[in-house]
Amino acid sequence: MEKEDHKILNKGEEEEMELLGYRLCRWRLALVGLGVVCTGGFLLLLLYWMPEWCVKSTCTRTTARDAEVVLMRSTLFSFFSMFLPKVFEQHFSKSVICHIHVKLLCLLSLSFYCFPQIRYFTFHSTKYYWNDEMQNFEKVWIVTVFSPLIRRLFFGVNEIAVKVPSVFKLLIKEVLNPFYIFQLFSVILWSADEYYYYAVAIVFMSVISIATSLYTIKKQYVMLHDMVAAHSIVRVSVCRANNDIEEVLSTDLVPGDLIVIPSNGTIMPCDAVLVSGTCIVNESMLTGESVPVTKTNLPNPGPGERGDEASGAYNTEEHKRHTLFCGTNVIQTRFYTGELVKAVVVRTGFSTAKGQLVRSILYPKPTDFKLYRDAYLFLLCLVAVAGIGFVYSIILSVMHRVPAKTIIIESLDIITITVPPALPAAMTAGIVYAQRRLKNIGIFCISPQRINICGQINLVCFDKTGTLTEDGLDLWGIQRVENGSFHLSEENAYKENLVKTQFVACMATCHSLTKIEGQLSGDPLDLKMFEATGWILEEATEEETSLHNRIMPTVVRPPKQLLPPEPTVSPEQDMELCELPSVYEIGIVRQFPFSSALQRMSVVSRLLGEKRMDAYMKGAPEVVASLCKKVTVPENFAEILESYTKQGFRVIALAHRRLESKLTWHKVQNVNRDHIETNMEFLGLIIMQNKLKPETPSVLQDLHRANIRTVMVTGDNMLTAISVARDCGMIPPHDTVIIADALPPHDGHAAKITWRYADKPSNANRLEVMHLELYHFAMNGKSFAVITEHFPDMLQKLVLHGTVFARMAPDQKTQLIEALQGVDYFVGMCGDGANDCGVFGSLCCLSPFTSRTPNISCVPSLIREGRAALITSFCVFKFMALYSIIQYISVTLLYLGINLGDFQFLFIDIAIILLIVFTMSLNPAWKELVSRPPPIRSDLRASAIPPVLTQILICLGFQVLTFLWVQQQPSGLTPGSCSCNKKKKKKKSFTVMSVYLNLQHTEYLIVAIVFSKGKPFRQPSYKNYCLCPVEWRWRLFFIVLVNGGCVGIDLSAFKCLSGLCGQRKMVPKARYMHLAQELSVDPDWPPKPTTTTEAKPRPENGSTYQMIMNS
């Protein structure tokens, strides 16, 4: 029953969770309550910190269907995140059930049943309902019922409610942190031992820390609340039955409502799909891209005309060109007279695009950073060491007949020493300084804790256009096609002899440009293409549109100076010629926006005065050519295309088709694009030049020298991407590029991969060199999808040497990042923030770093600062650990004789320790990236243990020798000599104290200098003028030299001991290293150019593959 009751929630999504059902048990609750009383509330705290223990101690297992409480655990991380939502029940009366009628909207699919009893729970602001058919909890997306009141029971109020918690709730949550609970215990103990000043000082520091934290958290909540609340509640017109228009508040909207988009624009209060009309939308709130986007209505073809786009269920990603997203600004609308621009609500509240963005901020993806986990483990080790002193003090106290109360207080006091009160502030000092340095160079961070993670990055994925190359494209030339043959290339299209050709007409019409406040606005590529024609674009005003019974088209026309004198032609001239008629205005009747999945866009236009319409298409050359008549595509098309792409040009293909006369204006508005985009005539190629940014090659060279892999992920042509990768140095000149062409199963044949070389090797010896890792894989999005589905066990091998990934859709970029993370790479993504938002989402809730510099030079700077902050955290942690050990040794040796007073403890913790920590964290990052990687799994490894042990032994030796020497002095005290007298216990031996204080302070300084690492990740300590004044430097040099010699001796001894114990072959911990070792001895890898890899089904687990040598 245990296995059967495990449910997977959000399978395959980022929030995939394992769900277990539990029911409350009364007798267990009673036992837990008794335990809470007996332990003075400590058991309640323990259960608060350990949710799994809480639910297992108070509940019994049951099925998910009958659960009252569900335990959810994350399945996508190496550690568990526990959540305990409570399941609620909603009962409906029979009269209400009879009025519920579930009706599926066109293109909106849902399998959902209504029951008199509905069970649901809310997790991260999302409701999950029990689905009896699927036997699992699921999100409810689309339900259309006659009564909006019933729908509101399922979807709730349409609002993104960011509740600002009260100060009291935030205070309780902050105070219940284990560290502060331990601090509270320590303060009580110190007060009982009459360390009042020290206890008050620690309380004061803790209060300041808590108050600062509460202020920051409260401020963030208020800012987020205010940002979300702006424009969140507006009045909306909703179409009801009989076409009645009702004005309602946006909070009353539910999925299925038909709303009217006002002509003067609005801020969208929900996600809605357009069913009539056209909108110009600014989506900068979601994408960061300020270029307006044209949204067209969802196709609504008649019977027998449905294509792939209309036959499937509505999908936000596939139909985003028809979807108005919540929070985006509708600037303009285009509409019919008598018909309004209408949209169907598909998402509300936190389910919208804006809601998901807010959810990612409220509930960020947890970071599994090993440093912090290792830090907690190391603290536990220190507590275990303190346990030895605890036992020692008890035994010594019993031997000297110390009262029981004194034994308890003094023994527990030793344990409190092992957790320094200043540890949290010390650990964040390096991050704060790094964030300040990043801000000074124009890099802004919204998640400071991720600075340390940046220090571990060993692979960076780059977008191409706008990131590695310049934002703008320049028209390099055009190459027209007539009668199935290429003309010679031409520099531009601004010529009299070309102004009336279909080629130029396609350039002038096939775009999504619009005018906003008199200025052309749209995609940069469309702008460059249109400007190259020299044509003029005119749009109808709102008043002009309202006078007609159909949408007034956007009109384009050439300038008068390009128009030749009007020729004298006979009326019988054939209209199928390539020349345009003498009428010089073309109206754009219908747009099919660019789709990254389809890799093309098209328009339907009409020459003013003509009855028949024309269709124009532009897009990826290989896609456009596949949709054209074969006789119109030149035989040397592939060779010409390859010649341009190998030179790094971006190539766009154009096509044209004369539409049937039966396609009227109204039919065109509802026709499916698959009906238009077929049997086209190939017109030619537009060659765009996308220059590299001047900083790109040097930055990539710096990353390569630092052994940081670089990968290109782009939506451009693969050969173009390979050329750019070679030009910028991502692929060295002599390395081989292997292209993986994968085909899905068809006609009974299994899926297969054909391997070919982008650069054919000059001789056979080149294949032998490739085993030295001088090869790179390249593939496009289609091949990546096939390999992901049919060759899952090969995917990891390919990403190990994959350098170019072209024609990648946004979701495929996310899959690639996850595949790289799956082989233990620490991945960074650098993009322009527009089409890479999904990728940033896979890395964290939002892009945590934003650079003011418009090039990739910020990447090495960020990694350098990350490495410096990471090493600083290691150094500070080791210093704080040694500080605890030094104080622990001192207190253990002196505790039963004399001890430090209040002000002495205060002086050590504040005037020495905090001052040292804050100054040793000031070391800036090293001036360049080095090939040596920082410690991946923190410095708490075997190689870091010898220096720490050396320092502990040195400190212990000096303190024991000093203790023995002081005992021989006349003023010396022996353990227990004044422990029985409470007043005498406070008596100080100034000789002893001065010697011990000087010794402790010297040891603190020595440890700080020894652990303050410099090169190769930070600037050396002697350049830190706060830590090392000029007059100290020779003394500090001598100290470091002596300690360095001791550490060297200790390391030599450690190596000798390891040799005596037997040499073990180092096995790499990272999965990609282990995989690289395996492939280095595989004779069949990399695949030869005459090899085809076929997928073979493997019933027990996915699929495997076999290599086939082509003859």
Side-chain angles (χ1 to χ4, degrees):
M1 178 182 129
E2 291 280 330
K3 283 189 176 181
E4 294 177 357
D5 290 339
H6 282 234
K7 303 293 183 182
I8 300 298
L9 208 65
N10 304 324
K11 191 169 185 179
E13 299 179 19
E14 188 175 344
E15 287 188 343
E16 183 177 291
M17 308 285 288
E18 182 186 29
L19 184 145
L20 303 173
Y22 287 88
R23 293 187 71 89
L24 292 174
C25 179
R26 292 184 178 180
W27 66 267
R28 290 192 179 191
L29 279 171
L31 285 179
V32 169
L34 181 62
V36 169
V37 173
C38 294
T39 58
F42 179 75
L43 179 60
L44 189 62
L45 273 175
L46 187 63
L47 296 180
Y48 172 78
W49 295 331
M50 307 294 291
E52 188 175 14
W53 293 9
C54 177
V55 70
K56 289 185 176 179
S57 61
T58 58
C59 304
T60 56
R61 280 295 309 275
T62 185
T63 61
R65 173 69 179 82
D66 301 321
E68 295 178 353
V69 175
V70 291
L71 174 67
M72 303 203 306
R73 295 184 293 192
S74 173
T75 61
L76 299 182
F77 307 108
S78 57
F79 57 96
F80 285 144
S81 297
M82 303 291 180
F83 305 95
L84 298 175
K86 187 175 180 181
V87 180
F88 295 94
E89 294 184 0
Q90 178 73 50
H91 295 272
F92 295 112
S93 64
K94 291 184 178 180
S95 60
V96 173
I97 293 299
C98 292
H99 286 86
I100 295 181
H101 179 68
V102 180
K103 175 181 174 185
L104 298 182
L105 188 66
C106 179
L107 295 181
L108 306 177
S109 62
L110 177 73
S111 174
F112 190 85
Y113 296 90
C114 298
F115 298 97
Q117 176 184 347
I118 293 180
R119 301 176 60 80
Y120 69 94
F121 66 87
T122 302
F123 171 67
H124 284 179
S125 302
T126 301
K127 283 187 177 181
Y128 294 84
Y129 290 87
W130 177 257
N131 188 328
D132 237 4
E133 182 184 9
M134 302 300 296
Q135 287 293 300
N136 201 356
F137 286 96
E138 292 183 341
K139 302 174 186 176
V140 178
W141 288 121
I142 305 297
V143 172
T144 304
V145 294
F146 286 143
S147 172
L149 296 176
I150 301 300
R151 277 182 278 164
R152 198 167 295 119
L153 290 174
F154 289 94
F155 298 103
V157 178
N158 175 32
E159 63 176 355
I160 304 173
V162 179
K163 296 181 180 179
V164 180
S166 64
V167 175
F168 178 76
K169 286 185 178 180
L170 291 175
L171 178 63
I172 294 299
K173 186 176 181 180
E174 188 74 15
V175 168
L176 292 183
N177 183 289
F179 178 80
Y180 287 118
I181 294 298
F182 184 81
Q183 288 284 61
L184 178 62
F185 167 75
S186 302
V187 166
I188 295 173
L189 192 64
W190 295 331
S191 300
D193 202 21
E194 299 181 8
Y195 283 95
Y196 300 119
Y197 295 109
Y198 185 73
V200 169
I202 297 302
V203 169
F204 179 74
M205 291 173 58
S206 299
V207 168
I208 292 178
S209 176
I210 292 173
T212 304
S213 178
L214 291 182
Y215 174 77
T216 303
I217 295 173
K218 182 81 172 181
K219 184 179 178 181
Q220 290 175 347
Y221 269 108
V222 171
M223 288 178 61
L224 184 60
H225 175 271
D226 294 343
M227 180 184 69
V228 172
H231 309 292
S232 60
I233 301 179
V234 296
R235 296 201 69 85
V236 184
S237 298
V238 180
C239 294
R240 300 299 188 192
N242 301 322
N243 291 325
D244 292 335
I245 305 296
E246 179 185 354
E247 293 284 334
V248 299
L249 288 175
S250 57
T251 52
D252 294 329
L253 291 176
V254 288
D257 282 345
L258 185 64
I259 62 175
V260 178
I261 309 298
S263 59
N264 58 348
T266 185
I267 302 292
M268 288 299 298
C270 59
D271 286 357
V273 58
L274 271 175
V275 293
S276 66
T278 305
C279 294
I280 308 298
V281 185
N282 184 345
E283 294 186 333
S284 58
M285 192 279 294
L286 292 179
T287 66
E289 182 61 61
S290 59
V291 176
V293 181
T294 301
K295 301 285 186 175
T296 58
N297 61 288
L298 197 68
N300 187 24
E305 295 182 343
R306 291 185 179 273
D308 293 337
E309 186 180 7
S311 59
Y314 170 79
N315 181 277
T316 304
E317 184 61 35
E318 293 178 8
H319 299 93
K320 64 181 180 181
R321 285 292 185 175
H322 312 293
T323 305
L324 304 174
F325 293 104
C326 179
T328 58
N329 184 14
V330 178
I331 303 172
Q332 294 178 2
T333 61
R334 307 288 298 279
F335 55 92
Y336 295 95
T337 296
E339 279 198 44
L340 302 173
V341 178
K342 300 176 182 178
V344 175
V345 178
V346 292
R347 304 277 194 273
T348 57
F350 279 99
S351 299
T352 62
K354 181 180 178 180
Q356 296 290 341
L357 183 63
V358 175
R359 286 180 71 244
S360 67
I361 299 173
L362 289 175
Y363 316 105
K365 181 179 177 180
T367 54
D368 182 15
F369 194 35
K370 296 179 177 61
L371 169 65
Y372 301 127
R373 288 197 291 160
D374 290 347
Y376 284 120
L377 291 176
F378 196 73
L379 283 177
L380 290 177
C381 293
L382 290 179
V383 172
V385 171
I388 300 174
F390 177 77
V391 174
Y392 164 78
S393 64
I394 290 178
I395 294 174
L396 201 61
S397 298
V398 171
M399 290 174 58
H400 289 85
R401 298 179 182 179
V402 178
K405 178 183 177 182
T406 306
I407 293 177
I408 294 173
I409 293 176
E410 294 182 349
S411 300
L412 290 176
D413 197 13
I414 292 179
I415 296 179
T416 63
I417 294 174
T418 58
V419 182
L423 184 60
M427 292 294 288
T428 58
I431 297 175
V432 171
Y433 292 143
Q435 186 179 12
R436 185 182 303 170
R437 290 192 295 266
L438 287 173
K439 185 177 181 180
N440 291 337
I441 59 176
I443 300 176
F444 302 94
C445 176
I446 63 172
S447 179
Q449 295 299 328
R450 296 182 186 272
I451 295 178
N452 274 346
I453 300 177
C454 286
Q456 296 183 321
I457 289 177
N458 51 19
L459 186 148
V460 183
C461 294
F462 291 98
D463 183 33
K464 184 180 77 69
T465 306
T467 304
L468 298 176
T469 61
E470 297 287 355
D471 291 324
L473 293 169
D474 298 320
L475 182 68
W476 183 86
I478 61 174
Q479 192 153 4
R480 296 183 296 122
V481 170
E482 282 187 1
N483 301 322
S485 299
F486 276 112
H487 283 266
L488 294 176
S489 61
E490 301 168 84
E491 289 187 6
N492 59 69
Y494 191 77
K495 297 178 180 178
E496 289 186 12
N497 63 323
L498 298 180
V499 69
K500 290 186 177 181
T501 58
Q502 299 285 10
F503 188 93
V504 173
C506 184
M507 292 179 64
T509 58
C510 196
H511 54 72
S512 58
L513 301 178
T514 187
K515 276 194 171 182
I516 299 176
E517 297 181 354
Q519 296 293 324
L520 272 180
S521 182
D523 185 86
L525 186 146
D526 288 348
L527 275 172
K528 282 289 183 182
M529 184 181 69
F530 184 77
E531 289 171 356
T533 65
W535 285 40
I536 301 168
L537 183 141
E538 295 178 348
E539 288 184 327
T541 63
E542 184 178 332
E543 291 77 14
E544 291 173 335
T545 303
S546 63
L547 297 176
H548 297 79
N549 60 356
R550 56 193 177 197
I551 295 178
M552 285 293 291
T554 297
V555 174
V556 293
R557 58 180 176 82
K560 292 180 179 180
Q561 59 267 27
L562 280 183
L563 287 174
E566 189 171 329
T568 304
V569 293
S570 61
E572 294 82 11
Q573 184 179 9
D574 187 6
M575 299 302 294
E576 297 296 331
L577 294 176
C578 293
E579 296 277 330
L580 286 173
S582 58
V583 181
Y584 59 86
E585 288 187 353
I586 303 176
I588 302 173
V589 178
R590 174 81 189 276
Q591 287 182 355
F592 296 101
F594 176 79
S595 167
S596 58
L598 301 177
Q599 299 178 9
R600 64 182 184 267
M601 79 161 291
S602 59
V603 296
V604 176
S605 66
R606 190 176 73 173
L607 188 64
L608 202 61
E610 294 298 323
K611 293 183 179 179
R612 296 179 67 178
M613 300 185 188
D614 298 278
Y616 295 102
M617 178 171 64
K618 82 172 193 295
E622 56 270 26
V623 174
V624 172
S626 67
L627 298 172
C628 292
K629 299 175 184 176
K630 290 185 178 180
V631 294
T632 65
V633 180
E635 293 182 358
N636 61 341
F637 164 76
E639 290 79 4
I640 295 294
L641 176 62
E642 186 174 352
S643 67
Y644 285 124
T645 54
K646 277 189 174 181
Q647 298 177 62
F649 292 115
R650 184 169 184 179
V651 183
I652 307 295
L654 307 182
H656 164 259
R657 176 188 166 197
R658 198 68 182 274
L659 298 178
E660 301 84 357
S661 58
K662 66 178 182 179
L663 281 176
T664 63
W665 191 294
H666 288 282
K667 286 184 178 180
V668 164
Q669 299 306 319
N670 294 318
V671 72
N672 183 261
R673 71 186 299 169
D674 293 339
H675 181 78
I676 300 294
E677 297 170 342
T678 184
N679 291 325
M680 308 286 284
E681 294 183 2
F682 195 78
L683 293 179
L685 303 173
I686 299 177
I687 300 97
M688 311 291 287
Q689 189 176 23
N690 196 198
K691 297 178 181 178
L692 279 176
K693 291 183 178 179
E695 301 84 4
T696 297
S698 59
V699 170
L700 294 180
Q701 188 177 6
D702 291 342
L703 293 176
H704 289 168
R705 280 200 297 261
N707 289 332
I708 296 175
R709 270 191 65 190
T710 55
V711 173
M712 182 187 297
V713 189
T714 178
D716 208 343
N717 177 276
M718 182 161 57
L719 294 180
T720 300
I722 292 173
S723 174
V724 172
R726 286 199 181 278
D727 291 342
C728 67
M730 190 174 287
I731 298 178
H734 300 294
D735 288 8
T736 299
V737 178
I738 305 175
I739 297 177
D741 286 330
L743 296 175
H746 68 286
D747 298 334
H749 298 283
K752 65 178 181 179
I753 306 174
T754 303
W755 310 96
R756 61 185 178 91
Y757 288 9
D759 301 310
K760 298 180 180 178
S762 57
N763 53 58
N765 293 333
R766 185 66 177 274
L767 295 177
E768 299 176 3
V769 181
M770 290 199 314
H771 280 285
L772 300 176
E773 298 186 0
L774 301 179
Y775 64 94
H776 305 259
F777 288 110
M779 68 189 74
N780 58 28
K782 291 182 179 179
S783 297
F784 181 80
V786 173
I787 293 170
T788 302
E789 182 177 358
H790 300 283
F791 300 87
D793 41 0
M794 181 178 282
L795 182 61
Q796 291 187 349
K797 296 181 180 180
L798 292 178
V799 299
L800 191 64
H801 288 278
T803 303
V804 175
F805 297 85
R807 300 292 191 208
M808 297 285 281
D811 60 327
Q812 290 179 325
K813 294 181 181 182
T814 302
Q815 293 173 12
L816 173 63
I817 296 296
E818 292 172 349
L820 290 168
Q821 291 174 331
V823 291
D824 293 341
Y825 275 113
F826 289 89
V827 186
M829 176 70 196
C830 182
D832 56 11
N835 58 344
D836 303 309
C837 293
V839 188
F840 296 139
S842 75
L843 296 174
C844 59
C845 65
L846 291 170
S847 174
F849 301 97
T850 304
S851 174
R852 186 182 294 164
T853 308
N855 56 61
I856 64 171
S857 61
C858 59
V859 175
S861 301
L862 179 59
I863 297 177
R864 285 191 300 106
E865 290 295 346
R867 288 182 171 186
L870 185 64
I871 296 303
T872 300
S873 296
F874 294 155
C875 297
V876 168
F877 185 81
K878 287 189 290 185
F879 169 75
M880 295 300 288
L882 262 295
Y883 147 67
S884 298
I885 292 294
I886 291 170
Q887 198 169 77
Y888 161 74
I889 293 172
S890 301
V891 171
T892 303
L893 290 174
L894 297 178
Y895 211 61
L896 294 177
I898 56 176
N899 199 7
L900 304 178
D902 272 6
F903 293 105
Q904 290 166 333
F905 273 120
L906 280 174
F907 179 78
I908 291 174
D909 282 0
I910 297 176
I912 296 181
I913 300 304
L914 282 181
L915 188 61
I916 290 177
V917 165
F918 290 149
T919 53
M920 71 184 293
S921 301
L922 283 172
N923 291 36
W926 187 246
K927 55 188 176 182
E928 61 184 17
L929 282 174
V930 294
S931 58
R932 175 185 170 187
I936 298 294
R937 297 183 178 271
S938 87
D939 247 8
L940 310 177
R941 307 172 299 167
S943 61
I945 291 176
V948 175
L949 287 178
T950 300
Q951 291 300 322
I952 291 176
L953 292 176
I954 292 174
C955 295
L956 178 63
F958 273 98
Q959 291 212 32
V960 170
L961 289 175
T962 304
F963 178 75
L964 295 176
W965 178 78
V966 167
Q967 280 189 316
Q968 305 302 320
Q969 305 306 311
S971 58
L973 294 176
T974 58
S977 59
C978 57
S979 58
C980 297
N981 191 322
K982 185 73 176 179
K983 293 183 179 179
K984 288 184 178 181
K985 181 183 174 183
K986 297 300 178 184
K987 178 183 177 182
K988 303 293 190 298
S989 171
F990 292 104
T991 303
V992 175
M993 295 311 300
S994 60
V995 170
Y996 255 84
L997 282 175
N998 286 327
L999 177 63
Q1000 280 191 44
H1001 299 171
T1002 303
E1003 287 180 340
Y1004 294 147
L1005 290 174
I1006 291 174
V1007 169
I1009 297 300
V1010 169
F1011 286 146
S1012 186
K1013 287 187 177 180
K1015 187 178 179 180
F1017 304 113
R1018 302 197 308 165
Q1019 295 285 352
S1021 296
Y1022 64 81
K1023 289 188 176 182
N1024 186 346
Y1025 292 93
C1026 295
L1027 182 63
C1028 301
V1030 176
E1031 60 271 14
W1032 291 12
R1033 294 190 180 183
W1034 287 107
R1035 300 176 187 176
L1036 292 175
F1037 175 77
F1038 176 74
I1039 292 173
V1040 172
L1041 188 65
V1042 173
N1043 276 271
C1046 296
V1047 172
I1049 294 171
D1050 193 80
L1051 283 171
S1052 301
F1054 182 77
K1055 291 179 180 178
C1056 294
L1057 185 61
S1058 300
L1060 292 174
C1061 296
Q1063 291 291 336
R1064 291 174 57 189
K1065 187 176 180 180
M1066 292 296 294
V1067 178
K1069 294 182 179 180
R1071 203 173 307 171
Y1072 69 88
M1073 293 182 180
H1074 183 72
L1075 189 59
Q1077 282 189 354
E1078 291 182 353
L1079 294 180
S1080 64
V1081 296
D1082 188 348
D1084 296 326
W1085 193 265
K1088 308 300 186 295
T1090 57
T1091 301
T1092 298
T1093 305
E1094 287 190 358
K1096 293 182 65 178
R1098 188 171 60 188
E1100 64 273 12
N1101 185 18
S1103 66
T1104 185
Y1105 53 87
Q1106 64 175 353
M1107 311 294 285
I1108 300 175
M1109 300 299 293
N1110 297 332
S1111 56

